[in-house]
Amino acid sequence: MTRDSTFALGAFAALYLVSSAAVAQNAPPTFEGDPDVYKVIFEDQNFRVIETVRKQGVHDKVHGHPLPSVLYHLTDCDTRLYAADGKTTDTHTKAGSVNAVPVIASHSSENIGPADCRQIFIERK
């Protein structure tokens, strides 16, 4: 595991702890919360695959991750994560890196990098 993906995994874990404690209600899942950014590209009884395209400068709508997932980064991404309590965490991930994403009740993300950020989430149902 690379240093960047380890950092991103830690940031997601920290975000999970903060957001789950601070939020009484769950936000809608990614693809329902912001269908302009998140699109289901495959789904069956076992898995859901979600393509993410967060254009440069886009701050997506509040959403949650109701299922643990694996996140594959198609491009380098510079992201600012906003926890439910308003705290932010900046991450940098490299194309080709993979990290686990825990269940997150509510948060949003902003592409603060110089290019579009493309990712694939794979959720096991």
Side-chain angles (χ1 to χ4, degrees):
M1 185 179 286
T2 68
R3 185 180 68 117
D4 287 334
S5 61
T6 302
F7 175 76
L9 179 59
F12 277 113
L15 180 63
Y16 164 71
L17 292 174
V18 170
S19 66
S20 63
V23 176
Q25 289 186 324
N26 293 339
T30 56
F31 58 94
E32 291 175 359
D34 199 339
D36 292 334
V37 174
Y38 303 94
K39 303 222 184 302
V40 175
I41 59 173
F42 174 82
E43 185 169 15
D44 67 11
Q45 68 275 14
N46 298 308
F47 296 97
R48 179 180 296 127
V49 179
I50 302 165
E51 177 185 32
T52 303
V53 179
R54 193 175 303 101
K55 295 188 181 293
Q56 181 184 10
V58 166
H59 185 164
D60 61 21
K61 296 175 183 153
V62 173
H63 62 273
H65 297 275
L67 299 167
S69 60
V70 173
L71 179 59
Y72 178 75
H73 300 274
L74 298 168
T75 61
D76 290 357
C77 294
D78 292 310
T79 304
R80 180 164 292 138
L81 302 169
Y82 294 84
D85 64 0
K87 292 183 182 177
T88 63
T89 304
D90 290 355
T91 63
H92 173 75
T93 50
K94 293 279 191 187
S97 64
V98 179
N99 58 281
V101 178
V103 171
I104 299 172
S106 178
H107 78 132
S108 65
S109 303
E110 180 181 8
N111 179 352
I112 59 172
D116 293 352
C117 177
R118 296 181 49 118
Q119 304 162 312
I120 299 288
F121 283 92
I122 302 165
E123 299 176 341
R124 182 175 175 139
K125 293 180 167 181

